[in-house]
Amino acid sequence: MPSKVSAKIGPSILNADLSKLSEESQRLLDCGADYLHLDVMDGHFVPNLTFGHPLVKCLRNKVKDAFLETHMMVSKPEQWIEPMADAGVDQYTFHVEPVEDVPLVCRKVREAGMKVGIALKPGTPVDTVTQYIDQADMVLVMTVEPGFGGQKFMDSMMSKVQWLRQNYPDLDIEVDGGVGPSTIEACATAGANMIVSGTAIINSNDPAQVIRKLKSTVTDALG
């Protein structure tokens, strides 16, 4: 029986030229990206600092029809729900680690009109999310330590993806970190269907070809 989930490729724009963000984003969409993955970091939950809701709002004004996912690598995700909703974000993905009341944050995200994504750092056990699955649209399994682009893919995280796919066959499962043509097979085989890829797409001479390869590999694995 065919899977209800479908392959989606979301380039991470963290490594793009941020001075030309709207042009870069449009180029990626024209190359076949299904959505854009925006890494929001507060310099606290992770040691890096990126951009916030004002930039996202500006981007939304330029790429009006794109599906925008913000990956909130922040200590207080509840603080940015309303500003990101106002900025035009479609999916708000936050980390469970710093949050005391995950169901409350999930509810507030949904009430703000966004889809709910919950993310796990490499050191967080996968069964941490079982009590929240029914409140989430997607689970993100980090395949690097969050905070910086260009890190090496952690193959050991595939057991988390596999466990989620076996237990929740209709769940959107996203992987993020070090994913590209050389690691996509492992992700697809494990059961990931939403693929975040930064450096491998952004730095490629032919981003469209990389996106096609990633998508076809996942589509084939989903059956």
Side-chain angles (χ1 to χ4, degrees):
M1 186 176 164
S3 172
K4 287 184 182 176
V5 298
S6 60
K8 299 184 187 82
I9 310 302
S12 165
I13 60 171
L14 184 62
N15 295 101
D17 183 345
L18 295 179
S19 71
K20 301 177 183 171
L21 195 52
S22 62
E23 296 97 318
E24 288 277 285
S25 297
Q26 189 59 57
R27 182 174 71 98
L28 292 166
L29 293 165
D30 293 343
C31 285
D34 297 290
Y35 65 105
L36 296 175
H37 183 89
L38 314 179
D39 291 301
V40 178
M41 308 181 196
D42 63 357
H44 189 262
F45 179 65
V46 292
N48 200 6
L49 189 66
T50 54
F51 47 78
H53 55 92
L55 184 142
V56 178
K57 192 167 191 171
C58 292
L59 181 61
R60 168 55 82 203
N61 288 333
K62 297 287 187 181
V63 289
K64 297 188 185 302
D65 300 325
F67 188 95
L68 301 181
E69 177 198 13
T70 50
H71 177 192
M72 306 300 295
M73 290 175 257
V74 298
S75 293
K76 296 181 178 175
E78 62 278 9
Q79 186 177 342
W80 309 109
I81 294 170
E82 288 299 334
M84 285 300 183
D86 178 64
V89 168
D90 297 290
Q91 178 163 300
Y92 191 90
T93 300
F94 67 95
H95 277 265
V96 298
E97 293 88 5
V99 177
E100 284 183 22
D101 192 341
V102 172
L104 178 66
V105 178
C106 289
R107 194 181 82 236
K108 287 190 170 179
V109 171
R110 206 171 292 288
E111 285 171 355
M114 298 180 288
K115 284 187 151 190
V116 179
I118 50 180
L120 298 175
K121 289 170 75 173
T124 305
V126 67
D127 56 7
T128 304
V129 300
T130 51
Q131 56 191 315
Y132 315 127
I133 290 274
D134 60 341
Q135 295 152 69
D137 296 289
M138 186 209 80
V139 174
L140 163 56
V141 174
M142 288 300 296
T143 44
V144 297
E145 285 296 337
F148 294 92
Q151 293 183 65
K152 191 175 185 313
F153 177 79
M154 300 167 87
D155 194 64
S156 57
M157 293 300 110
M158 291 305 97
S159 59
K160 289 185 183 181
V161 176
Q162 212 166 7
W163 185 88
L164 284 167
R165 181 56 69 215
Q166 284 169 352
N167 287 280
Y168 306 99
D170 299 329
L171 178 69
D172 276 325
I173 304 169
E174 185 176 66
V175 286
D176 176 14
V179 182
S182 63
T183 51
I184 188 61
E185 191 71 49
C187 299
T189 306
N193 69 296
M194 291 182 71
I195 308 298
V196 177
S197 179
T199 313
I201 292 175
I202 304 289
N203 292 352
S204 168
N205 293 326
D206 190 350
Q209 192 267 332
V210 176
I211 290 171
R212 279 196 304 273
K213 175 171 173 53
L214 299 180
K215 193 162 186 174
S216 64
T217 304
V218 175
T219 301
D220 290 348
L222 288 170

